Amino acid sequence: MKKSILSLTLGLSGAAIAAVLVLPALAQESLLPEGFGNPAETPAPRPSPTPSPTATPAPTATPKAGSPPPPPVTATLGSSAASDTGDAEEGEEGEEVAPGTLKYDLPPGARRLLTRIGPLTPETGGLGPDAFGVRGQYAAAIMRNTRGELASRWGQILLRRSLVSAIDTPETINGADLAAERAALLLRMGESISARWIVQSVDYDRASPRLVSVAQQTYLANADPAGLCAYVPAGLAHGDEQAWRLASAICAGLSGEAGPAGWAIGRVRSSGKISNFDILLAERVLGATGAGRRSTTIEWDKVDRLTSWRFGMATATAVPIPEPLRASEPYYMRGWTVLAPMTDMTQRIAAAPDAAARGVLSSEAYVSLLSAAAGQEEPAEALTAQTDALRDAFGAASGVERYTAMQGLWGADANTPGRYAAMIATARAAAALPVSTEVGDDPWQLVGSMFAGGYDRNAIDWVPTISVGSRTWGLLAVGSPRPLNGTNASAIGNFAGGDDSAGSLRSKFLLAGLAGLGRIDASAAASAASDLDVDLGKQTRWSRAIMAAAERREPGMVALLAAAGMQGDWSKVPPYHLYYIVRSLREVGLGSEARMIAAEALVRV
């Protein structure tokens, strides 16, 4: 606990100090008679300007008429508050600074432009700057209406890479607004760290009202109350006033200003607009900074749901979150939990399988987390058994012993995400297994484990050992870097003969993957489609949109539309969706990702 307090106290940044200094003037009102304390004529500090249609917005500015109200402090993600589209590039030279206001003087070259936003470049693994094309409002609308719960782990990995790439801002949208939609979608995907990358790619004084709202959710998802401080003035002007007053109190406490902090807390409590429990969490943070005036006990008895505010404040102060609330938390919070290092290790391990299956954790990161948990004092028996089996999978004396250990891990969890997470954990061990090892007639889990980690070149070494029409053959037919010989309608028929999935969905996915990759000729595809009673050429508004994006050579837009077509569980994804996704990705130069998505579909149904 002492370490948590120390880390939170020392986490104060210059941005936090700046926010405290621009707290509303009411927080500094003197109760002494005139002539005592500060002179009466001292002008009150005013908030620093935020991007809006006017050069210097007044502190009482409100969102545009017709805009929906901003989300309350207890709201989860998904709000779509309209944002102003002011000139974000307007300079600040010659601007007068009120007494007591801290202003950063940066040379023009040090400020970040809104014309290109994102940390990843093509040299560092990102997509090209024109990946999303020139239809900014269109892209933002798709992001806003895409849920973060995707069927495909590889689809999420690709979408995350696309959203954090340094992309050019189309002329039809404010760069800060587009950044806000990118960060909001990443949060719904459970990618809290990536969302923070995008938020921090925009200078805080250039943030639009929409980005200010998303920034609040982003820093709560990262359990970083100090990160809110830079946005307090804009939040008080454009956002949920009471929520931002709580944030201003926290920022005052972080700078050692107990008076303004207590005043702000009292004003929020007297308003009656925010539950007392959420106020107590803010007071808990103040207590951790040393600015709190009384001890705070957090009791969850009357709390029925876990919101972003409650998650962020409780996690930041090491307040344990009860298991019943964890069981009903939104899916994306499991990703936030795993990525927050201050979270209790037991809760991180409980959320890790789902996060790994979704793509939040890589194979290496998942194994590292399990190893770190096993190294703590008195780890759980189940965790010890799991890490012991992993150790045997990687380092047992013989190949047979290593494969036996892998099989034990794959069959230990009847839950589908948990089973796939085990295949992710063993990916590197599976890739290192000698081909001469006795693994049975149809080692589809072994090959599926390799594909889960992206070891496709190791997987093709097993091609000579498998029989055409087996489940392993189907995985290799769509996942290998090069086409396999003998891929025809007859082979697909043999595969369908052993298909035990509901409605022969696995066989339909195999045909969709092969057709999308161009690994089966048109006549054979038509024959197999007729046998399986599936229409891969079905035309919808979505199919026309993704094909049009592929024709325009917009890989980012294709990745976004692919994610929109894979929402929910694999059992809900139509086979023709997989066909268009694989085909479009291949046409824009993302063939490797297309193959991994097709292979994953065969593993998980």
Side-chain angles (χ1 to χ4, degrees), residues 2 7 17 94 102 158 161 190 212 218 229 239 256 263-264 279 289 293 373 386-387 444 503 512 547 596 599:
K2 290 182 178 180
S7 63
I17 298 175
L102 180 63
L158 174 60
R161 174 186 166 200
V212 170
T218 299
C229 297
W263 175 87
I279 298 173
T289 68
R293 297 181 177 179
Q386 183 180 12
T387 52
W444 66 271
M547 290 304 297
M596 294 302 100

Side-chain angles (χ1 to χ4, degrees), residues 233-314:
L236 288 170
H238 299 289
D240 176 19
E241 181 182 7
Q242 302 305 323
W244 282 107
R245 285 197 183 279
L246 284 181
S248 71
I250 292 171
C251 296
L254 286 170
S255 66
E257 299 288 341
W263 175 87
I265 289 285
R267 182 164 182 178
V268 172
R269 180 174 277 117
S270 64
S271 73
K273 295 180 179 179
I274 291 182
S275 70
N276 189 59
F277 181 81
D278 293 323
I279 298 173
L280 289 174
L281 285 173
E283 290 183 325
R284 179 80 175 199
V285 177
L286 285 176
T289 68
R293 297 181 177 179
R294 60 189 178 91
S295 61
T296 304
T297 301
I298 302 299
E299 296 181 354
W300 298 83
D301 298 344
K302 297 181 180 180
V303 177
D304 59 354
R305 67 192 183 104
L306 189 61
T307 64
S308 56
W309 179 271
R310 294 164 185 173
F311 171 88
M313 295 301 164

Side-chain angles (χ1 to χ4, degrees), residues 403-429:
Y403 183 63
T404 301
M406 292 182 218
Q407 287 181 306
L409 288 166
W410 299 332
D413 195 335
N415 177 268
T416 301
R419 182 180 299 173
Y420 190 61
M423 298 174 71
I424 294 168
T426 59
R428 186 160 164 257

